[in-house]
Structure formats: C-alpha cells, structure tokens
Amino acid sequence: MFGDLFEEDYSSVSNDHYGKGKKLKTKALELPAPRGFTSLSGIRNQGGTCYLNSLLQTLHFTPEFREALFSLGPEELGSLEDKDKPDAKVRIIPLQLQRLFAQLLLLDQEAASTADLTDSFGWTSDEEMRQHDVQELNRILFSALETSLVGTSGHDLINRLYHGTIVNQIVCKECKNVSEKQEDFLDLTVAVRNVSGLGDALWDMYVEEEVFDSDNLYHCGTCDRLVKAAKSELDDLEYMYDLFSVIIHKGGCYGGHYHVYIKDVDHLGNWQFQEDKSNPDVNLEDLRNEEELDDPLMILKAVLLQEESNLIPVDQLGQKLLKKIGISWNKKYRKQYGPLRKFLQLHSQIFLLSSDDSTVSLLKDCSLQAESDIRGNDQQLLKTLTSEPPGLNDRPFCPHWFDINDSRVQPIKEKDIEQQFQGKESAYMLFYRKSQLQRPPEARANPRYRVPCHLLNEMDAANIELHIKRAECDSTNNNFELHLHLSPHYHFFNGALHPVVSQTESMWDLTFDKRKTLGDLRQSIFQLLRKILHLPLPKRDGPDALPSLLLEFWEGDMVLSVAKFVPAGLHVYQTLDGDHLTLCEIEIADGEDIFVWNGVEVGGIQIPAGSDCEPLLLNVLHPATSNEEEECQQLIDSPHVFPSNAEIGSVFTAFAIPDGVILVNKTESVGEESWITIPKEDLKKTFREQGLRNGSSILIQDSNDGNSLLTKQGKWITSVNEIDWLQVKNLCQLDAEEEQVKISATLNTVVFDIRIKAVKELKLMKELAEDSCLRPIDRNGKLLCPVPDNYTLKEAELKMGSSLGLCPGKAPTSSQLFLFFAVGSDVQPGTEMEIIVEETISVRDCLKVMLEKSGLSGDAWHLRKMDWCYEAGEALREEDAALKELMLCSGDTLLLIEGKLPPLGFLKVPIWWYQPRGPLHRWKSHQDQTDCTFSQGGVWRADSIQDAPSDAHTEVSLRYLGDVEISEDATLGELKSQAMTLPSFSEFSIPSPAFLRAWTVESKRPGRLLRAHYQQLREYKLGQRTEICLEPLQKEENLGPQHVLLRTQMRLPGKRAYALPVDLVWDTARGWTAGSLRHRVADFYSLPVEKIEIAKYLPEKFEWLPIPSWNQQITKRKKKKKQDNLQGAPYHLKDGDTIGIKNLLVEDDDDFSTVRDDIGREKQKEFALGKKKSQEALRVRSGDVPSGAETPARPRGPEASLSIHVGSFR
C-alpha cells in the first residue's frame, strides 16, 4: 500500500509544480476561470504550497470542522475590515480560513487563492516558495487556531474534533494488578516499512502486547518488587472509523509534490466522468436492493453459490464480499454482527466450517434452499452480485472520491485509488471520520448549508461581479479593430497605393465583433460610408436603396480586400469572399487593413493585387552622366519600386540603360560587404527568386567599363594588418619624454615583462619598476582594475592592440580587493573613486574608509553594489560581514547612497525608462534625442535608422530616472504616478499613468509584466531589491490573465537580420499550444500558417529555440497524447519574449541566428574560459586548493523551520 515512500527520487523533486498563485481579488483585471465540470474549486499553488493546499482541502471537506468554524460569528472573531484599527481585536487566521472555505464552497472560480491566509500566517514569499512536511503543518495550524480562538465559544474546537486518548495498561503477572496511563493525541504516527498494510502497522504500534521479563522486569507497586508483566493499549471497540482523505506525497524526503484524494461526504461535487455524462442513469437498481444488501446471510449465500464447489477459504470470502458489494465486512456488518468468522460459527445450520476454521461452505440442504430462495425471491439481488460489480463510488447513495491536485479537481474511482498506493507516489497522511456520524438531508448537495449570512452575501456579490466582468471580458475579447481605406482617397503611383491627402485623413477605424459575418461587415461599412460621404437617406423604400446609391459612387461592385503597408506604400492582397462566413472563419486579424474598392482599378489605373506582385523598394546604384553624356565615376543611389514577380532585367528598362551588368549586395558579416554579379542567364529570374527584399541594394554598371569600383573578385578592398602589440600610456609622470609606446607581445607574454619594458622605453625612473602597475583602458578612457604581474595576457583577458595605462602604485595582492566607488546613484562613467582594502574588512569599516576618502561624514549612509551598466543593485545590509563573505571581487563598484535603508513596509524602488526599438514605440522627449548621449544618471541609446535591418532582440535600452520610496500598500497605478513626478521624467510627454506599462528589471532586461493597475504592490511581492522599468504606450491597454505580450520580429530574407520588433498580444484562453501561437502570428502578419516558422530568442545564450508546428506529443510511459504547453520546458514562454518569424515563401532554411548571435556566443566562450583560468590561478596563488582540484559538492542547506505567527487577535 505504501510503496517506496522513503526512497529518494530526485528526478521528481520540483520547486514549482504548478506555478505561482496570486491573491483572488474580484476587482482585479485578471479574472479567474469558472469552475470545471466537477463543480468543485481547487487552490492555486503559490510556488511551493501544495502541502498547504492538500491539508486545507481536507479540512474544508470535513463537515464537522467546517461548520464548527462557520458557527463563530463576527461578534466573537471580529471583522477583517477592522484589522488595521489600533484597538480592534480581530482574530485574522480563523476569519481568513472562514473566507477561504466560503470561496471554495460558493465562489465561481476554478481555483481559490491562499495569499490572504498565508499573509495572516505572517509568511513571506520565501516561505510560500519553500515546501514543508504536511503533518508538521497540521500540528502547527491546529496550535495556531487554538491560540486564535482563546476566549471564544470555539476555544475547544480542535480538542473536541480531533482529540484522542491512548490508554496503556500494564498487568502484573503475579498479583494481576492493572496499572493504567493515559496519553492524549491529535494524530497517530505509524511505521509502515516492512508491513503489508495499515492494519498491521497499527497492530504493531498500539495493540500487540509487550512482555516485561528477563532483564527487563517491571516494578509492581502492589508486590513492591520487580516482576514479569505485560503492556498493551486498551482496544476501543465503541467506534468504527471510515477513511475519507488520503494526502499523497510524490518524491523524496527533501522535496516533491503533494496532492489529496478526498471523499465528498456532502455530495458537493459532480462526480460523473466526462465520458459517462451521456449515460447518467447507472445502477439505479442498487437503490431498490439496499434492504437485501443489508442482510449478511443473503449476501454470503449468494457469494458462496458463485463458487464451483461452494467451498472457499474464510479469508477469501471477505475479499469476495468486498469485490461484489464494494465494501468490506468490517465496515458494513461488524458493528452489528461481529467478526466474520464468529458470524459463520453462530450460523452453523447454514455454513459448514472446517475443523481449523480455515474454509467454509454451504450445507447441502441449505445450499439447495438458498439457491431456490434466490431464484424465486431475490433474482435481482443475484443479478446484482453476479454482474460486474460497481466500485464504492459507482453507487449514488455512497459518497464519491475526488483527486484534488492544487488547481485541478478530477473524479476518481476507489479501485483506481488502490492502484495508486505503489511506487514513488504513496499515501503519507490519512484522515478518518466516525462511521456513526450522519449528515442531515438538507446538507446534501447544498454548499450554502450553515454558511454565515455575511459570507453568503459577500460570495453572492462577488459572483455577480465576476459574471458581469466575464461578460465584459468576453465582449472585449471578441471585438477587434479594422482599418478601412477607401479607394477614392488613394491614387496609384511608383508601384503602390498612396493617400491623396494624408494617411490619417484616408483611414477610418471600425470596431467590429469578429463573431459576425462578412456580410454584416459589409453592411456596417455601408453605414459608415453614408456618414463619411454625407449622403442623404434615399426616399425610395426597400433595403437595397442605400446600397444602390453608394454603389453609384463606386461605379461597380464594392469589394473588400486585405491590404498591408509595405515600404513602397499600401499593397492589396487577397479579396474577401463568402458573406455567410464569420470573420474568424476567414481569418481576419485584429488591426487588419481593409481596402474598399471596385476590385479592378483605382483612379482609372488597374491595380495589381496578391502576394506574388508585392512591391519591393530597392536601392539602385547607377553611374551618373554629364551633359555631354560622358560617364562619370560618381554613383547615384536612388530608390525604386519593382514588383517582386518582375524580371531582374527590367531594371535596365526602368533606367533607360540598353545593356550592362547587375550586381547584388550580399552582407556576410558586420563591416564587410560583397557584391555578386548576376549571370545573364539569371536576368530572367524574378526579384523574389533572387532573394531580394525591401531595402536590398543593386548596382548597375556598363559591361564595357574597365574602371570598375569593384575588384575582380567582386569585394571591396579592405586592409587589416596583423596586430601583435600592446600600447602602454604613461600615466606616472606628465613631463616625461614619451607619452606612449608599443610593446611587442603574444597572448602568453607575462604582464610583468610588459611593464618592465614599458618603464625602460618610456625612460622613466627605475623606482617605478617596483612601484607601478598596468591598468587596462576601456573605450571610454576609463582605467580598469590593475592587472596582476604574474598573469599572461590571455589570463588577463587582454586583446592584442589594447591600451594599458602605466600607473603609480602596486597592484593589489591576492588578499586585497581593488574597488571602485561613487557617491549617489546618478553616476557618470569615469567619475568613480578607487580604493584598495583587505578582503576581510567588514562592510561597516569599508563604508567608513570610503566616506573619509570622499570627505563625507555622518552615519546616514549605506552601500549598494553596481553592475556594468551603472545600475544600483542590492544593498549590503550585513554591516558586520566581511567583503569576502559577500562575494565582492576586485573591480566591483560600490555606491555610497545617502539615507538609511527604507523602513519595514516600504520599498525603495529604482525606476528605469524602457524604450523598445520598433515602429510602435516612437515617444520622444521635449529635447531632440536622436543622437546617442548620456543622460543624467543612466544610459540612453538612440533608435536605429528607420528601415535598416535590426537586431533589437540583443539590445535593451534602459535609462535610469531615479528612486521612488513608496508603501507596499500602494497600488501599481500610484507607483506610476509617483514615478511621473521624478525630475528626469519631465522630459517625456506621457498623458497619464495608464499610458505606461510596468515591468520588473531582471538581469538588466524587462522581466515580469505587472498588469493590474489597481493591485497593491504587496501582492506582487516585489522585495527590497526589485527595480521597475516603465515602457511608454501609444494607447491604453487592458491585458487579461490569458493574454501574453510578445515582441515579434520578421526575418529579412537573404540577410541574417530581423526587422524592427512589433508587439503582439496572444490570447491563450484556448491553451498555450504551439498551434495556437502559430495561428496568431500567421494572422498578425497575413501569412499562411503552413508557410511560417517561429522561434523563441534566448538572449542570455544568443540562441534561437524553434517552436515546432506539432500540437501533441507522446509520453513514453503511458502512450497517451497530451497537449504541448509553451509555458513549460524547454520554452518557458512569458511576457516580453522575442519571437522570430521566418516567411517560408521567400526563405526556406533552418537558421534563425544573426551575425551578432555568432559574435555573442564566441565572446561568451572566451569569457568563460578566461574566467575559469583566472580563478584557478588566483586559488593557486592564495594557496587555497591545488590547480585543477575539483570543487567539492555543495552541501545541502539547513532545513528551514515552519511557523505560523499569531498576534494578539491581529
């Protein structure tokens, strides 16, 4: 039954089994999903609270506990509304438990949240992410409830429901004196190793007699000497108990996952399996046979008649009985009729027992009589017993079992539960109820039974609000925006459509329900056109009167076509047909451009339509000619539009050049270009077949021109000499004869040799040979950390051609740290001060030294780390800790921040300005920011040139604005409002906080998207080191919990680069599947779904992870299909991820990477190798471990204790 409960299985250990849970707030923008078909609610996992969820569900499904808790009113417990009042006595834990139980019973949501309850426990986010033992939690929770209920009518609630007593009896073998001792308990712990079941375990622990003899005699008070005695527990025959909850643990002793099997005593849930819903009237005859099943004589006769010889072992008779009627003899008959063997002995006129009472059969006369009785009077009973028996849960009058696994609730049969007790998933904690406890009829299938009125009203109001908001959300999710372009406002020139006046005056936005048909859309456009064109309503009757009048304006049929903006202008693609089809069926996407025209021409010019003739905007370089028509050496770069299905040779016709050579630019790597000549036989190929795309460059030159700007190989000439030297600048003596020298070196040259050579060639004093050091100089001219003399250039990660500064002073020893530090968080590069300290110095002493060197005084300062992008990091809170203990290294930068760390309950949040690169992010400040400049306190990068290929997925532009100190009780909207008051924010023109999108900053990038505008910061559990970046929006957005915000980039055909990123909102209401995402991307980019490939970008690895087109995968063990989930491994898709899109119509290969990805991966390899060698060399010099020694395995951390904090009714 218990399987390998104590075997370690690290493969199944998970820190986050089902994800993090959030508080339930009906006013929040993220609406919870409604309940499933079971009509029961689960509980969301907060990260590691599966053990808590399993125990809470057990207590909730214990009617006696639930109703005893509900019986305590506000007059005894107080009210949650008064919890923040100074003098109010509010017992928060039982109130939150009441509210959670009411939500589980009545609130129409798939899963409830325990965030409010764990907050009342005093738990932090770390405790919610850490798993504990469920039995330990049970004892601590019961203790906290007892403490919370002192002084109320429920003070004995736990003792009344769960208290038990073990009576130990010791009987003296000499005088027969009986000594008794009582021990109280709330739960019983049994050893299950090497036992066949729970009965044997209980017998071994509490029933089996223990004998005191030999060297272990008992001192009898009556005999007043050591005697032989026997110890045993008093057997409680008064009550029988039924199992109703089994908490299951999967994993090892140090982690894993909990879920629970629970018997629904009050029939609150819908137990029918989904595949059985069509056949609800199952086993109705069982109700009519209830009286016959209550007669054990009739049941045992029927069981024995099914045996060929009417002979069966007594042990197997009990098993046959359980198999036939679904319940054991002990549970159904023992209380009234005694043990089975004793019952058979008492009815010796019917049953014949063997001499050793091991087998039983029916007496022949009784056998014939029993068969006759059953055939004559109990045909239905025999039919029931001989048919395939239903399990215990298959009978309507018996409670059913459910498997509750955090948010998921599924029905389960009792026979399936028995099969679960094996392997690594084993029963860990069992809950029993007295069999004699009967539930009142009015409690059956009634979740409102005994729920207090104030909770009923609260849940009813919450359900009404949920219903309204779900209706609004459904309407919002099904409405999308279409952009209408009317042909009279456009004219065709240079290969594409262009507005006559302006883009804004030529486009109208129409909000429409995507569930409506194309015919409905056509009628809506007619109505809109009447308003736009100011046409009066016709006087003639009939539904076709208005359309006929508008059609006269078109001079033909009205045709709706999908259009798209390309660099050349507006291009018309496919025409929409089928007025009976919905917009979803014809795959119209949100934000689609619809061109309204007659389907043939615009302004008298026939319009080419379709993806085949999509216009391409190319850069054409051709030689300029003088007035005398003599060729000049100057090239003219002029843009020109060609249809993508046109022949490349049409370039000559367009530029009136009779003949010549065409070359196409191919960019192979950064800074290097190559021109490839197109053979004459390929001039008849189309631009698309040659892989040209918007922005491609082509060169036209005369075939007789011998003075070409290109070499014979077709590549521009570049000259790069091999570099085998380092440049050393003199920073010791300003009046020296030489300012800098070049020192020849290789990667294996030692830094000491370079320094001595530099001192000699710079003709400096010999004293500097003993008191100087070399420091690398970065691109901005900043001096970096001194390089140890015993390093080679390769170990020091110095590249050939690098600049070094020869500076006075020795380099730090192996026990010293070279640190940069600066005052304040608004630090400009190169303004830091320097200090050398011992690595064993404490944070407090280091702070004093830095303050002294800065000329500052006072004790209202603290230190923070700063990373490479001048971003203030975590504070050094442990003032007595050594710098070495805090893992500080030479070259680290610390910030002297004025002011103490924020008080408890407040956050000091650094605010950053996040400006993604893309066509939808064009917010500008009041000042011209097109140049790349450093702003006050942070880094600002300018946007790239429009229409240039982009690798925006590799860059994140963040600008530090300042710090905001704010209460954890404030909302996200209040944080945005306070951030807008920062002085640095005045440069931006943001209408309101609703036009800002908030992200957490993780690894110098936007991390978690903070959605709900009115949610408290406390609920986000940001922590003291969390930083926020704000992203400007063009319009307000209302992202629901099912929406995922992705950055999409279309790959540019023929080049290893991508177009600028565009935000895409993906509705995951139908699942996080690859198929759903592919359809959304295809709709967004107006491409066939089978003609695209997508991949997720991993910026930390400079890699692309392709997302395949399949929707299902096969599990190896059970051979069952399950939907893939992009939330899980290996994709872990989340808000802000970059998705690359490849159009297979123009490019068909498997490579998603860019040139910058290759460079990034190579740098990562070099950095990792150099760091490893540097660390090994440092360990060798410090004498810690020998070179090449393996790092010892990290020891397991100490186990954290579990506690629930109960205040004075707070």
Side-chain angles (χ1 to χ4, degrees), residues 298 305 368-380 382:
M298 188 64 66
L305 283 174
L368 296 174
Q369 182 63 35
E371 185 174 358
S372 175
D373 292 343
I374 291 176
R375 289 178 178 175
N377 304 319
D378 298 290
Q379 288 284 347
Q380 187 59 44
L382 180 61

Side-chain angles (χ1 to χ4, degrees), residues 507-518:
M507 184 176 69
W508 286 264
D509 293 334
L510 175 64
T511 301
F512 201 72
D513 191 336
K514 60 185 177 183
R515 294 170 295 185
K516 292 186 177 181
T517 64
L518 179 61

Side-chain angles (χ1 to χ4, degrees), residues 1073-1075 1078 1093-1095 1105-1111 1124 1126 1131:
T1073 62
R1078 288 172 57 83
E1093 289 294 340
I1094 59 178
L1105 183 61
I1107 300 177
S1109 58
W1110 42 257
N1111 286 332
D1124 66 306
L1126 297 182
Y1131 304 103

Side-chain angles (χ1 to χ4, degrees), residues 749-860:
T749 304
V750 180
V751 173
F752 175 79
D753 296 336
I754 296 176
R755 186 169 62 85
I756 297 302
K757 288 182 181 178
V759 171
K760 291 180 180 180
E761 295 190 19
L762 289 171
K763 301 178 181 179
L764 300 177
M765 296 183 299
K766 295 182 178 180
E767 290 79 4
L768 288 176
E770 299 296 331
D771 190 20
S772 63
C773 62
L774 290 178
R775 298 177 60 178
I777 303 174
D778 67 6
R779 295 179 180 178
N780 298 320
K782 177 185 175 181
L783 286 172
L784 303 181
C785 179
V787 182
D789 280 348
N790 58 348
Y791 272 31
T792 64
L793 297 184
K794 187 175 182 180
E795 291 172 338
E797 301 179 4
L798 293 175
K799 296 182 178 180
M800 291 299 175
S802 300
S803 294
L804 301 176
L806 182 65
C807 303
K810 294 182 179 180
T813 64
S814 59
S815 63
Q816 292 178 325
L817 296 178
F818 182 93
L819 301 176
F820 296 99
F821 71 97
V823 180
S825 58
D826 298 333
V827 182
Q828 294 291 343
T831 61
E832 306 93 336
M833 291 174 277
E834 304 163 358
I835 190 174
I836 296 179
V837 295
E838 294 294 330
E839 62 182 1
T840 56
I841 192 174
S842 67
V843 174
R844 180 182 288 105
D845 294 338
C846 182
L847 176 61
K848 290 180 181 179
V849 174
M850 290 180 176
L851 287 174
E852 183 179 351
K853 189 168 184 178
S854 305
L856 301 173
S857 60
D859 55 359

Side-chain angles (χ1 to χ4, degrees), residues 36 40 107 215 218 485 662 879 921 990 1093 1163 1176:
L40 297 178
L107 199 57
D215 296 334
Y218 169 71
H485 305 267
I662 297 178
E879 294 185 345
H921 300 88
I990 304 298
E1093 289 294 340
K1163 287 183 177 180
E1176 290 180 355

Side-chain angles (χ1 to χ4, degrees), residues 936-989:
Q936 197 176 26
V939 178
W940 176 263
R941 298 192 184 97
D943 288 342
S944 62
I945 301 174
Q946 190 174 2
D947 297 332
S950 169
D951 283 315
H953 53 264
T954 61
E955 297 180 2
V956 176
S957 298
L958 290 177
R959 180 187 179 187
Y960 176 71
L961 299 180
D963 293 342
V964 169
E965 189 165 320
I966 191 170
S967 170
E968 290 181 326
D969 295 327
T971 64
L972 178 62
E974 292 170 343
L975 174 65
K976 295 178 183 177
S977 300
Q978 195 165 336
M980 292 178 67
T981 63
L982 294 171
S984 302
F985 204 94
S986 59
E987 301 178 17
F988 308 105
S989 302

Side-chain angles (χ1 to χ4, degrees), residues 20 72-73 88 96 224 246 261 307 318 377 411 459 471 517 537 556 619 648 770 783 825 903 974 977 1094 1108 1186 1203:
K20 299 179 182 179
L72 303 174
Q96 292 291 6
D224 195 20
V246 182
Y261 300 138
E307 301 298 319
N377 304 319
M459 295 302 112
T517 64
L537 281 171
N619 297 319
I648 293 183
E770 299 296 331
L783 286 172
S825 58
E974 292 170 343
S977 300
I1094 59 178
S1203 62

Side-chain angles (χ1 to χ4, degrees), residues 2-144:
F2 298 98
D4 300 324
L5 179 60
F6 298 104
E7 296 291 333
E8 275 297 332
D9 182 13
Y10 294 101
S11 63
S12 62
V13 175
S14 172
N15 292 326
D16 188 357
H17 192 77
Y18 279 97
K20 299 179 182 179
K22 300 295 180 187
K23 278 187 191 174
L24 169 66
K25 296 287 187 181
T26 54
K27 66 179 181 181
L29 296 177
E30 300 184 6
L31 295 177
R35 299 190 179 213
F37 73 95
T38 62
S39 300
L40 297 178
S41 175
I43 300 178
R44 290 196 290 273
N45 193 322
Q46 295 192 58
T49 57
C50 55
Y51 69 103
L52 173 66
N53 296 347
S54 300
L55 179 61
L56 290 176
Q57 289 284 17
T58 298
L59 298 178
H60 162 246
F61 277 94
T62 307
E64 294 75 21
F65 180 87
R66 183 180 68 237
E67 292 168 7
L69 189 64
F70 280 152
S71 66
L72 303 174
E75 64 280 357
E76 293 187 279
L77 302 181
S79 175
L80 289 174
E81 288 75 13
D82 301 331
K83 65 179 181 179
D84 295 323
K85 295 181 179 179
D87 300 328
K89 292 185 177 182
V90 181
R91 306 171 193 267
I92 299 180
I93 293 179
L95 283 172
Q96 292 291 6
L97 203 54
Q98 279 186 344
R99 188 167 180 268
L100 175 64
F101 284 178
Q103 290 175 356
L104 292 173
L105 286 169
L106 300 171
L107 199 57
D108 184 19
Q109 59 180 355
E110 182 183 39
S113 171
T114 56
D116 289 335
L117 181 63
T118 54
D119 284 348
S120 71
F121 291 169
W123 289 3
T124 64
S125 57
D126 290 338
E127 289 170 300
E128 291 162 357
M129 293 293 295
R130 186 182 296 119
Q131 192 177 102
H132 291 278
D133 181 77
V134 69
Q135 183 192 17
E136 178 188 10
L137 171 68
N138 182 63
R139 295 180 177 179
I140 293 174
L141 179 59
F142 280 3
S143 176

